[in-house]
């Protein structure tokens, strides 16, 4: 016999819903993953070009050192840092480390601010 | 293809590949920070070392597996019409396979 669906309240106004930090970094984990996925061809091209020849190597270096290149590098390093830090957080939660609400919120804040900071430091150090 | 890496297998594969990818990313960035290759010959020589070439090849392969599982999950979450979903999944799979072939050519080309 089919069950009659229970009428549950719905509130889907994304502009008014207040997300807790762990929810925000979870969405960003997905978004950064999608961004990294889409950047795979670019990464392979950079790898290919840089290994191919002396001139290709310098082309890649000057590309990454240009203002636009540095912005793109920062954004990709941010995506990578966020995906990596949030990923480590999820692996720890999988083995039941930091599951408690206060600990989970603290680590979420750490990821949210640690990732762009790490990306900024890496961009500065690498270019 | 959609039968592969589903359910618990996909969940586990995503975590195992994540662990390797994370370690490689940290290692690679640390190497670039500590001793950046000064010129093209050094960079090429670096990537041609058998351990580095093998590790990089494994990384690129696992990256594509990881990207497949993650991309498939995103498509299945937001794309509901069956035909559109099939097309999107096929395109993603083909694109990743093409990237895999390209990655193989790059790394094998340098190491041989």
């Amino acid at each position: 016999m089919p069950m009659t669906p229970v009428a549950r309240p719905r509130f889907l106004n994304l502009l008014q819903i207040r997300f807790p930090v762990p929810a925000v970094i979870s969405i960003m984990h997905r978004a950064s993953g999608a961004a990294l996925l889409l950047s795979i061809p670019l990464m392979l091209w950079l790898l290919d070009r840089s290994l191919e020849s002396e001139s290709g190597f310098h082309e890649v270096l000057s590309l990454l050192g240009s203002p636009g290149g540095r912005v793109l590098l920062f954004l990709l390093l941010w995506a990578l840092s966020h995906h990596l830090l949030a990923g480590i957080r999820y692996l720890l939660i999988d083995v039941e480390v930091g599951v408690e609400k206060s600990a989970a919120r603290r680590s979420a804040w750490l990821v949210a601010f640690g990732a762009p900071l790490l990306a900024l430091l890496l961009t500065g150090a690498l270019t | 293809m959609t039968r592969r890496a589903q359910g618990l297998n996909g969940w586990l594969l995503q975590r195992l590949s994540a662990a390797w990818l994370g370690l490689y990313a940290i290692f690679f960035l640390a190497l670039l920070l500590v001793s950046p290759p000064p010129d093209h010959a050094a960079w090429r020589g670096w990537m041609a070392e058998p351990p580095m070439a093998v590790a990089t090849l494994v990384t690129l392969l696992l990256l594509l597996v990881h990207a497949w599982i993650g991309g498939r999950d995103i498509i299945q979450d937001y794309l509901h019409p069956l035909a559109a979903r099939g097309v999107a999944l096929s395109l993603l799979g083909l694109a990743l396979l093409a990237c895999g072939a390209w990655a193989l050519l790059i790394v094998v080309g340098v190491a041989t």
Side-chain angles (χ1 to χ4, degrees):
Chain A
M1 228 175 85
M3 298 220 298
T4 39
V6 183
R8 283 173 299 197
R10 275 192 174 194
F11 185 74
L12 293 176
N13 187 340
L14 288 178
L15 297 174
Q16 282 182 31
I17 293 174
R18 282 203 45 208
F19 289 103
V21 204
V24 174
I25 71 151
S26 173
I27 293 167
M28 287 173 75
H29 188 69
R30 175 162 276 204
S32 59
L36 291 170
L37 192 161
L38 293 175
S39 78
I40 290 176
L42 173 66
M43 292 296 142
L44 285 177
W45 182 79
L46 289 173
L47 181 65
D48 196 10
R49 199 81 188 88
S50 69
L51 287 167
E52 192 176 68
S53 63
E54 186 79 46
S55 64
F57 181 78
H58 290 293
E59 190 194 331
V60 168
L61 280 190
S62 62
L63 215 64
L64 291 178
S66 69
R70 294 185 81 184
V71 170
L72 186 66
L73 186 65
F74 166 74
L75 291 175
L76 285 174
L77 282 170
W78 185 9
L80 179 68
S81 306
H82 186 92
H83 207 72
L84 180 61
L85 291 178
I88 292 170
R89 178 174 175 274
Y90 294 131
L91 287 180
L92 288 174
I93 288 175
D94 278 347
V95 293
E96 310 200 345
V97 173
V99 182
E100 291 302 313
K101 192 161 119 184
S102 63
R105 289 225 164 142
R106 251 200 321 276
S107 62
W109 280 111
L110 201 66
V111 171
F113 284 102
L117 188 66
L118 186 61
L120 208 58
L121 291 175
L122 284 172
T123 308
L126 288 173
T127 57
Chain B
M1 193 176 276
T2 48
R3 285 272 152 219
R4 303 264 159 79
Q6 278 193 329
L8 184 61
N9 281 337
W11 184 89
L12 194 62
L13 207 54
Q14 197 66 335
R15 276 147 188 81
L16 291 177
S17 55
W20 173 278
L21 291 172
L23 289 176
Y24 184 92
I26 293 167
F27 162 77
F28 189 80
L29 286 171
L31 211 52
L32 280 184
L33 287 175
V34 174
S35 63
D39 53 26
H40 174 250
W43 169 234
R44 221 185 137 87
W46 222 52
M47 290 300 289
E49 287 290 329
M52 188 63 184
V54 170
T56 302
L57 211 52
V58 170
T59 299
L60 290 172
L61 187 80
L62 288 178
L63 175 65
L64 298 176
V65 170
H66 195 84
W68 165 249
I69 298 172
R72 184 202 57 191
D73 287 351
I74 292 179
I75 288 172
Q76 289 178 340
D77 276 354
Y78 303 121
L79 207 56
H80 297 303
L82 215 57
R85 185 187 275 195
V87 170
L89 286 174
S90 306
L91 286 178
L92 176 66
L94 283 176
L96 289 177
L97 281 178
C99 285
W102 190 10
L104 196 68
L105 286 177
I106 296 172
V107 179
V108 171
V110 170
T112 53

Short mmCIF file of all heavy atoms in Angstrom, two decimals, chain A residues 30 34 37 40-41 44-45 47-48 50-54 57 77 80 83-84 91 94 122 125-126, chain B residues 11 15 22 26 29 32-33 37 39-40 43-44 47 67 71 74 77-78 92 99 102-103 106 110:
data_model
loop_
_atom_site.label_atom_id
_atom_site.label_comp_id
_atom_site.label_asym_id
_atom_site.label_seq_id
_atom_site.Cartn_x
_atom_site.Cartn_y
_atom_site.Cartn_z
N ARG A 30 32.34 21.33 -2.51
CA ARG A 30 31.79 20.87 -3.78
C ARG A 30 32.16 21.84 -4.91
O ARG A 30 32.60 21.42 -5.99
CB ARG A 30 30.27 20.73 -3.66
CG ARG A 30 29.59 20.38 -4.93
CD ARG A 30 28.21 19.84 -4.70
NE ARG A 30 28.25 18.41 -4.41
CZ ARG A 30 27.23 17.58 -4.61
NH1 ARG A 30 26.10 18.03 -5.07
NH2 ARG A 30 27.35 16.30 -4.34
N ALA A 34 34.48 21.11 -8.23
CA ALA A 34 34.04 21.33 -9.60
C ALA A 34 35.04 22.22 -10.34
O ALA A 34 35.40 21.97 -11.50
CB ALA A 34 32.65 21.96 -9.62
N LEU A 37 38.11 20.24 -11.13
CA LEU A 37 37.83 19.32 -12.23
C LEU A 37 37.92 20.04 -13.57
O LEU A 37 38.57 19.58 -14.50
CB LEU A 37 36.43 18.72 -12.04
CG LEU A 37 36.00 17.51 -12.89
CD1 LEU A 37 34.81 16.81 -12.25
CD2 LEU A 37 35.64 17.87 -14.32
N ILE A 40 41.43 20.77 -14.98
CA ILE A 40 42.34 19.67 -15.35
C ILE A 40 42.98 19.88 -16.74
O ILE A 40 44.20 19.76 -16.88
CB ILE A 40 41.63 18.30 -15.28
CG1 ILE A 40 41.36 17.94 -13.80
CG2 ILE A 40 42.49 17.19 -15.91
CD1 ILE A 40 40.57 16.64 -13.62
N PRO A 41 42.18 20.22 -17.78
CA PRO A 41 42.82 20.43 -19.10
C PRO A 41 43.88 21.53 -19.07
O PRO A 41 44.96 21.38 -19.66
CB PRO A 41 41.64 20.81 -20.00
CG PRO A 41 40.45 20.21 -19.35
CD PRO A 41 40.71 20.30 -17.88
N LEU A 44 47.01 20.18 -17.39
CA LEU A 44 47.74 19.27 -18.28
C LEU A 44 48.46 20.06 -19.37
O LEU A 44 49.60 19.74 -19.73
CB LEU A 44 46.78 18.25 -18.91
CG LEU A 44 46.30 17.13 -17.98
CD1 LEU A 44 45.29 16.24 -18.68
CD2 LEU A 44 47.49 16.28 -17.50
N TRP A 45 47.81 21.12 -19.86
CA TRP A 45 48.45 21.93 -20.90
C TRP A 45 49.71 22.60 -20.34
O TRP A 45 50.76 22.60 -20.98
CB TRP A 45 47.47 22.99 -21.43
CG TRP A 45 48.06 23.81 -22.53
CD1 TRP A 45 48.20 23.44 -23.84
CD2 TRP A 45 48.66 25.10 -22.42
NE1 TRP A 45 48.83 24.43 -24.55
CE2 TRP A 45 49.12 25.47 -23.70
CE3 TRP A 45 48.83 25.99 -21.36
CZ2 TRP A 45 49.75 26.68 -23.94
CZ3 TRP A 45 49.46 27.20 -21.60
CH2 TRP A 45 49.91 27.54 -22.90
N LEU A 47 51.53 21.59 -17.83
CA LEU A 47 52.53 20.55 -17.60
C LEU A 47 53.21 20.17 -18.92
O LEU A 47 54.44 20.11 -19.02
CB LEU A 47 51.87 19.32 -16.96
CG LEU A 47 52.79 18.15 -16.62
CD1 LEU A 47 53.79 18.52 -15.55
CD2 LEU A 47 51.97 16.92 -16.18
N ASP A 48 52.38 19.92 -19.93
CA ASP A 48 52.88 19.53 -21.25
C ASP A 48 53.82 20.59 -21.82
O ASP A 48 54.95 20.31 -22.20
CB ASP A 48 51.67 19.33 -22.19
CG ASP A 48 52.04 18.56 -23.45
OD1 ASP A 48 53.18 18.03 -23.51
OD2 ASP A 48 51.21 18.48 -24.36
N SER A 50 55.37 23.09 -20.35
CA SER A 50 56.56 23.38 -19.55
C SER A 50 57.62 22.30 -19.73
O SER A 50 58.81 22.56 -19.61
CB SER A 50 56.21 23.51 -18.08
OG SER A 50 55.83 22.25 -17.55
N LEU A 51 57.19 21.07 -20.03
CA LEU A 51 58.16 19.98 -20.18
C LEU A 51 58.69 19.88 -21.60
O LEU A 51 59.82 19.45 -21.84
CB LEU A 51 57.51 18.64 -19.79
CG LEU A 51 57.27 18.43 -18.29
CD1 LEU A 51 56.35 17.24 -18.06
CD2 LEU A 51 58.60 18.21 -17.57
N GLU A 52 57.86 20.32 -22.55
CA GLU A 52 58.12 20.15 -23.97
C GLU A 52 59.44 20.77 -24.43
O GLU A 52 60.27 20.10 -25.05
CB GLU A 52 56.95 20.80 -24.71
CG GLU A 52 56.82 20.54 -26.17
CD GLU A 52 55.54 21.21 -26.67
OE1 GLU A 52 55.48 22.46 -26.69
OE2 GLU A 52 54.61 20.49 -27.01
N SER A 53 59.63 22.05 -24.12
CA SER A 53 60.82 22.75 -24.64
C SER A 53 61.23 23.88 -23.71
O SER A 53 60.48 24.29 -22.84
CB SER A 53 60.53 23.32 -26.03
OG SER A 53 59.51 24.29 -25.93
N GLU A 54 62.44 24.35 -23.95
CA GLU A 54 62.97 25.49 -23.20
C GLU A 54 62.04 26.70 -23.31
O GLU A 54 61.72 27.34 -22.31
CB GLU A 54 64.35 25.83 -23.78
CG GLU A 54 65.12 26.91 -23.05
CD GLU A 54 65.78 26.39 -21.78
OE1 GLU A 54 66.40 25.31 -21.85
OE2 GLU A 54 65.67 27.07 -20.75
N PHE A 57 58.82 26.20 -21.39
CA PHE A 57 59.07 26.36 -19.95
C PHE A 57 58.98 27.83 -19.55
O PHE A 57 58.30 28.20 -18.59
CB PHE A 57 60.45 25.77 -19.63
CG PHE A 57 60.84 25.84 -18.18
CD1 PHE A 57 60.33 24.93 -17.26
CD2 PHE A 57 61.74 26.79 -17.73
CE1 PHE A 57 60.70 24.98 -15.93
CE2 PHE A 57 62.12 26.84 -16.39
CZ PHE A 57 61.60 25.93 -15.50
N LEU A 77 44.78 27.87 -6.40
CA LEU A 77 45.40 27.42 -5.15
C LEU A 77 44.42 27.52 -3.98
O LEU A 77 44.47 26.71 -3.06
CB LEU A 77 46.67 28.24 -4.86
CG LEU A 77 47.89 27.84 -5.68
CD1 LEU A 77 49.01 28.86 -5.51
CD2 LEU A 77 48.39 26.46 -5.29
N LEU A 80 42.25 24.53 -4.39
CA LEU A 80 43.02 23.34 -3.97
C LEU A 80 43.16 23.29 -2.45
O LEU A 80 42.92 22.25 -1.82
CB LEU A 80 44.40 23.34 -4.63
CG LEU A 80 45.31 22.17 -4.26
CD1 LEU A 80 44.76 20.87 -4.81
CD2 LEU A 80 46.73 22.39 -4.75
N HIS A 83 39.79 22.52 -0.85
CA HIS A 83 39.40 21.13 -1.09
C HIS A 83 40.25 20.18 -0.24
O HIS A 83 39.74 19.20 0.31
CB HIS A 83 39.54 20.80 -2.58
CG HIS A 83 38.63 19.71 -3.04
ND1 HIS A 83 37.27 19.88 -3.18
CD2 HIS A 83 38.87 18.42 -3.39
CE1 HIS A 83 36.72 18.75 -3.61
NE2 HIS A 83 37.66 17.85 -3.74
N LEU A 84 41.54 20.52 -0.13
CA LEU A 84 42.47 19.67 0.64
C LEU A 84 42.17 19.76 2.14
O LEU A 84 42.01 18.73 2.81
CB LEU A 84 43.91 20.10 0.36
CG LEU A 84 45.03 19.33 1.07
CD1 LEU A 84 45.00 17.86 0.68
CD2 LEU A 84 46.38 19.93 0.75
N LEU A 91 37.82 13.48 6.37
CA LEU A 91 38.43 12.18 6.69
C LEU A 91 38.53 12.00 8.19
O LEU A 91 38.29 10.90 8.71
CB LEU A 91 39.82 12.06 6.04
CG LEU A 91 39.84 11.85 4.52
CD1 LEU A 91 41.27 11.76 4.01
CD2 LEU A 91 39.06 10.61 4.11
N ASP A 94 35.20 11.21 9.49
CA ASP A 94 34.90 9.80 9.17
C ASP A 94 35.40 8.86 10.26
O ASP A 94 34.76 7.86 10.57
CB ASP A 94 35.56 9.39 7.85
CG ASP A 94 34.73 9.82 6.65
OD1 ASP A 94 33.56 10.18 6.86
OD2 ASP A 94 35.24 9.76 5.53
N LEU A 122 51.09 30.70 -0.69
CA LEU A 122 51.66 29.88 -1.76
C LEU A 122 51.84 30.69 -3.04
O LEU A 122 52.87 30.59 -3.72
CB LEU A 122 50.76 28.67 -2.04
CG LEU A 122 50.83 27.53 -1.02
CD1 LEU A 122 49.75 26.49 -1.31
CD2 LEU A 122 52.21 26.87 -1.06
N ALA A 125 54.85 32.84 -2.62
CA ALA A 125 56.10 32.10 -2.58
C ALA A 125 56.45 31.49 -3.94
O ALA A 125 57.62 31.30 -4.26
CB ALA A 125 56.03 31.01 -1.53
N LEU A 126 55.44 31.19 -4.74
CA LEU A 126 55.70 30.47 -5.99
C LEU A 126 55.92 31.39 -7.18
O LEU A 126 56.44 30.96 -8.21
CB LEU A 126 54.54 29.51 -6.30
CG LEU A 126 54.43 28.26 -5.40
CD1 LEU A 126 53.17 27.49 -5.71
CD2 LEU A 126 55.66 27.36 -5.58
N TRP B 11 32.34 5.41 -2.48
CA TRP B 11 32.63 6.14 -1.24
C TRP B 11 34.07 5.85 -0.79
O TRP B 11 34.84 6.75 -0.47
CB TRP B 11 31.62 5.70 -0.17
CG TRP B 11 31.72 6.41 1.13
CD1 TRP B 11 31.07 7.56 1.48
CD2 TRP B 11 32.49 6.01 2.27
NE1 TRP B 11 31.41 7.90 2.76
CE2 TRP B 11 32.26 6.98 3.27
CE3 TRP B 11 33.34 4.94 2.53
CZ2 TRP B 11 32.87 6.90 4.52
CZ3 TRP B 11 33.94 4.87 3.77
CH2 TRP B 11 33.71 5.84 4.76
N ARG B 15 37.75 8.19 -0.99
CA ARG B 15 38.59 8.49 0.17
C ARG B 15 40.02 7.99 0.00
O ARG B 15 40.97 8.66 0.39
CB ARG B 15 37.95 7.93 1.43
CG ARG B 15 36.94 8.88 1.98
CD ARG B 15 35.77 8.24 2.66
NE ARG B 15 34.77 9.25 2.99
CZ ARG B 15 33.88 9.71 2.11
NH1 ARG B 15 33.86 9.25 0.87
NH2 ARG B 15 33.03 10.64 2.47
N GLY B 22 46.12 13.96 -1.75
CA GLY B 22 46.50 14.94 -0.75
C GLY B 22 47.99 14.86 -0.45
O GLY B 22 48.68 15.89 -0.40
N ILE B 26 50.79 17.84 -1.32
CA ILE B 26 51.66 18.44 -0.30
C ILE B 26 53.13 18.25 -0.68
O ILE B 26 53.93 19.19 -0.64
CB ILE B 26 51.36 17.81 1.08
CG1 ILE B 26 49.96 18.22 1.54
CG2 ILE B 26 52.40 18.24 2.11
CD1 ILE B 26 49.44 17.41 2.73
N LEU B 29 53.98 20.54 -3.80
CA LEU B 29 54.08 21.96 -3.45
C LEU B 29 55.32 22.21 -2.60
O LEU B 29 56.02 23.21 -2.78
CB LEU B 29 52.82 22.41 -2.71
CG LEU B 29 51.58 22.58 -3.61
CD1 LEU B 29 50.34 22.81 -2.76
CD2 LEU B 29 51.78 23.73 -4.59
N LEU B 32 58.35 22.28 -4.81
CA LEU B 32 58.42 23.53 -5.57
C LEU B 32 58.88 24.69 -4.69
O LEU B 32 59.56 25.59 -5.14
CB LEU B 32 57.05 23.87 -6.17
CG LEU B 32 56.63 23.13 -7.45
CD1 LEU B 32 55.30 23.66 -7.93
CD2 LEU B 32 57.68 23.26 -8.53
N LEU B 33 58.49 24.65 -3.40
CA LEU B 33 58.87 25.72 -2.49
C LEU B 33 60.32 25.60 -2.06
O LEU B 33 61.06 26.58 -2.01
CB LEU B 33 57.97 25.70 -1.24
CG LEU B 33 56.54 26.19 -1.44
CD1 LEU B 33 55.74 26.00 -0.16
CD2 LEU B 33 56.53 27.64 -1.87
N PRO B 37 62.76 24.08 -9.63
CA PRO B 37 63.69 23.77 -10.73
C PRO B 37 64.16 25.06 -11.40
O PRO B 37 63.34 25.86 -11.81
CB PRO B 37 62.84 22.91 -11.67
CG PRO B 37 61.42 23.18 -11.30
CD PRO B 37 61.43 23.52 -9.85
N ASP B 39 65.81 25.62 -14.23
CA ASP B 39 65.62 25.76 -15.68
C ASP B 39 64.87 24.55 -16.25
O ASP B 39 64.52 23.63 -15.53
CB ASP B 39 66.97 25.94 -16.39
CG ASP B 39 67.96 24.85 -16.02
OD1 ASP B 39 67.50 23.74 -15.66
OD2 ASP B 39 69.18 25.10 -16.06
N HIS B 40 64.67 24.60 -17.55
CA HIS B 40 63.89 23.55 -18.22
C HIS B 40 64.52 22.18 -18.06
O HIS B 40 63.82 21.20 -17.78
CB HIS B 40 63.75 23.91 -19.71
CG HIS B 40 63.10 22.84 -20.51
ND1 HIS B 40 63.78 22.07 -21.44
CD2 HIS B 40 61.83 22.37 -20.51
CE1 HIS B 40 62.95 21.20 -21.98
NE2 HIS B 40 61.77 21.34 -21.44
N TRP B 43 63.90 20.79 -14.58
CA TRP B 43 62.47 20.44 -14.43
C TRP B 43 62.17 19.13 -15.15
O TRP B 43 61.51 18.24 -14.64
CB TRP B 43 61.65 21.59 -14.98
CG TRP B 43 60.17 21.41 -15.19
CD1 TRP B 43 59.51 21.65 -16.35
CD2 TRP B 43 59.16 21.00 -14.25
NE1 TRP B 43 58.17 21.42 -16.20
CE2 TRP B 43 57.93 21.02 -14.92
CE3 TRP B 43 59.20 20.63 -12.91
CZ2 TRP B 43 56.73 20.67 -14.30
CZ3 TRP B 43 58.01 20.27 -12.29
CH2 TRP B 43 56.80 20.30 -12.98
N ARG B 44 62.71 18.99 -16.37
CA ARG B 44 62.50 17.78 -17.14
C ARG B 44 63.18 16.58 -16.48
O ARG B 44 62.62 15.50 -16.40
CB ARG B 44 63.05 17.97 -18.56
CG ARG B 44 62.17 17.39 -19.64
CD ARG B 44 62.83 17.50 -21.01
NE ARG B 44 62.63 16.25 -21.73
CZ ARG B 44 61.57 15.98 -22.47
NH1 ARG B 44 60.63 16.86 -22.61
NH2 ARG B 44 61.45 14.81 -23.08
N MET B 47 61.15 15.35 -13.54
CA MET B 47 59.97 14.56 -13.88
C MET B 47 60.34 13.24 -14.54
O MET B 47 59.52 12.34 -14.62
CB MET B 47 59.05 15.36 -14.82
CG MET B 47 58.36 16.53 -14.18
SD MET B 47 57.27 16.08 -12.79
CE MET B 47 55.94 15.27 -13.64
N ALA B 67 37.91 12.64 -9.87
CA ALA B 67 37.10 13.63 -10.59
C ALA B 67 35.83 12.97 -11.16
O ALA B 67 34.77 13.58 -11.19
CB ALA B 67 37.91 14.26 -11.72
N GLY B 71 32.41 14.36 -9.99
CA GLY B 71 31.63 14.97 -11.07
C GLY B 71 30.32 14.24 -11.29
O GLY B 71 29.27 14.86 -11.49
N ILE B 74 27.85 15.20 -8.59
CA ILE B 74 27.28 16.53 -8.81
C ILE B 74 26.21 16.47 -9.91
O ILE B 74 25.11 16.98 -9.75
CB ILE B 74 28.39 17.54 -9.19
CG1 ILE B 74 29.31 17.78 -7.99
CG2 ILE B 74 27.77 18.86 -9.65
CD1 ILE B 74 30.45 18.74 -8.28
N ASP B 77 23.09 14.86 -8.71
CA ASP B 77 22.35 15.65 -7.74
C ASP B 77 21.50 16.73 -8.40
O ASP B 77 20.42 17.06 -7.93
CB ASP B 77 23.31 16.32 -6.74
CG ASP B 77 23.67 15.38 -5.60
OD1 ASP B 77 23.08 14.29 -5.54
OD2 ASP B 77 24.55 15.72 -4.79
N TYR B 78 22.03 17.34 -9.48
CA TYR B 78 21.35 18.51 -10.02
C TYR B 78 20.68 18.28 -11.36
O TYR B 78 19.87 19.09 -11.79
CB TYR B 78 22.34 19.68 -10.15
CG TYR B 78 23.01 20.03 -8.84
CD1 TYR B 78 24.38 19.98 -8.69
CD2 TYR B 78 22.23 20.38 -7.74
CE1 TYR B 78 24.99 20.29 -7.49
CE2 TYR B 78 22.83 20.68 -6.53
CZ TYR B 78 24.20 20.64 -6.41
OH TYR B 78 24.80 20.94 -5.21
N LEU B 92 31.34 13.78 -19.59
CA LEU B 92 32.34 13.82 -18.51
C LEU B 92 33.29 12.64 -18.63
O LEU B 92 34.51 12.79 -18.55
CB LEU B 92 31.63 13.81 -17.15
CG LEU B 92 32.55 13.74 -15.92
CD1 LEU B 92 33.38 15.01 -15.83
CD2 LEU B 92 31.75 13.54 -14.64
N CYS B 99 41.64 13.11 -21.15
CA CYS B 99 42.67 13.69 -20.27
C CYS B 99 43.64 12.61 -19.80
O CYS B 99 44.85 12.85 -19.71
CB CYS B 99 42.03 14.37 -19.07
SG CYS B 99 41.27 15.94 -19.45
N TRP B 102 46.05 11.85 -22.58
CA TRP B 102 46.97 12.98 -22.70
C TRP B 102 48.03 12.92 -21.59
O TRP B 102 49.24 13.04 -21.84
CB TRP B 102 46.17 14.28 -22.64
CG TRP B 102 46.94 15.52 -22.98
CD1 TRP B 102 48.19 15.59 -23.52
CD2 TRP B 102 46.49 16.87 -22.80
NE1 TRP B 102 48.55 16.90 -23.68
CE2 TRP B 102 47.53 17.70 -23.25
CE3 TRP B 102 45.32 17.46 -22.30
CZ2 TRP B 102 47.43 19.10 -23.23
CZ3 TRP B 102 45.23 18.84 -22.28
CH2 TRP B 102 46.27 19.64 -22.74
N ALA B 103 47.57 12.71 -20.36
CA ALA B 103 48.50 12.63 -19.22
C ALA B 103 49.51 11.51 -19.42
O ALA B 103 50.70 11.67 -19.14
CB ALA B 103 47.71 12.41 -17.93
N ILE B 106 52.12 12.63 -21.88
CA ILE B 106 53.03 13.63 -21.32
C ILE B 106 54.10 12.94 -20.45
O ILE B 106 55.30 13.11 -20.66
CB ILE B 106 52.27 14.67 -20.45
CG1 ILE B 106 51.31 15.48 -21.31
CG2 ILE B 106 53.25 15.59 -19.74
CD1 ILE B 106 50.38 16.40 -20.50
N VAL B 110 58.17 12.12 -21.29
CA VAL B 110 59.30 12.70 -20.57
C VAL B 110 60.22 11.61 -20.01
O VAL B 110 61.44 11.73 -20.03
CB VAL B 110 58.80 13.59 -19.40
CG1 VAL B 110 59.95 14.01 -18.50
CG2 VAL B 110 58.09 14.80 -19.96
#
